[in-house]
Amino acid sequence: GDVIHRMLTATQYIAPLMANFNPSYSRNSTVQYLDNGTVFVVQWDKVYLQGKEDMGSFTFQAALHSSGRIVFGYKEIPVPVLQISASQHPVKAGLSDAFMVLNPSPDVP
């Protein structure tokens, strides 16, 4: 949609794993993407949780195919997701397409 607001990432996301990740913690941490025209892939490689670096690194990806298919892939998830604290940042996995549409037509509710 056209509406940009401060809660955009809370309402509109495609997230294989959303948490308080800190890619700057390690020189080995990267966030990379690839687009070959039929699939767009983002990979979080060896990223750590801020303040919880002793838990280990996480490696996962999201692939968005031109057909509309979305695939999440997980290589390294060192702790159960339910054990990740949400006190500093929401912990989520999935999709949210909540958005606002302003339609001036009286015929469309």
Side-chain angles (χ1 to χ4, degrees):
D2 294 334
V3 178
I4 304 296
H5 52 84
R6 63 188 172 101
M7 296 298 292
L8 186 66
T9 58
T11 60
Q12 298 178 6
Y13 57 84
I14 298 173
L17 182 56
M18 183 188 307
N20 195 22
F21 289 108
N22 178 10
S24 67
Y25 173 75
S26 169
R27 296 179 84 165
N28 295 324
S29 298
T30 60
V31 179
Q32 301 176 56
Y33 67 90
L34 166 97
D35 184 353
N36 70 7
T38 60
V39 65
F40 176 76
V41 179
V42 179
Q43 178 166 308
W44 293 259
D45 191 32
K46 298 183 181 82
V47 294
Y48 292 82
L49 290 168
Q50 177 76 37
K52 301 288 184 183
E53 291 83 4
D54 59 330
M55 286 184 162
S57 68
F58 293 71
T59 298
F60 53 92
Q61 64 180 214
L64 289 77
H65 296 261
S66 60
S67 65
R69 187 170 60 129
I70 299 171
V71 178
F72 295 156
Y74 303 91
K75 183 176 180 186
E76 296 174 349
I77 305 296
V79 296
V81 173
L82 293 175
Q83 290 182 11
I84 300 173
S85 172
S87 63
Q88 298 297 315
H89 191 285
V91 177
K92 301 177 184 181
L95 309 171
S96 175
D97 66 350
F99 62 93
M100 191 165 86
V101 176
L102 300 175
N103 188 343
S105 172
D107 299 333
V108 179

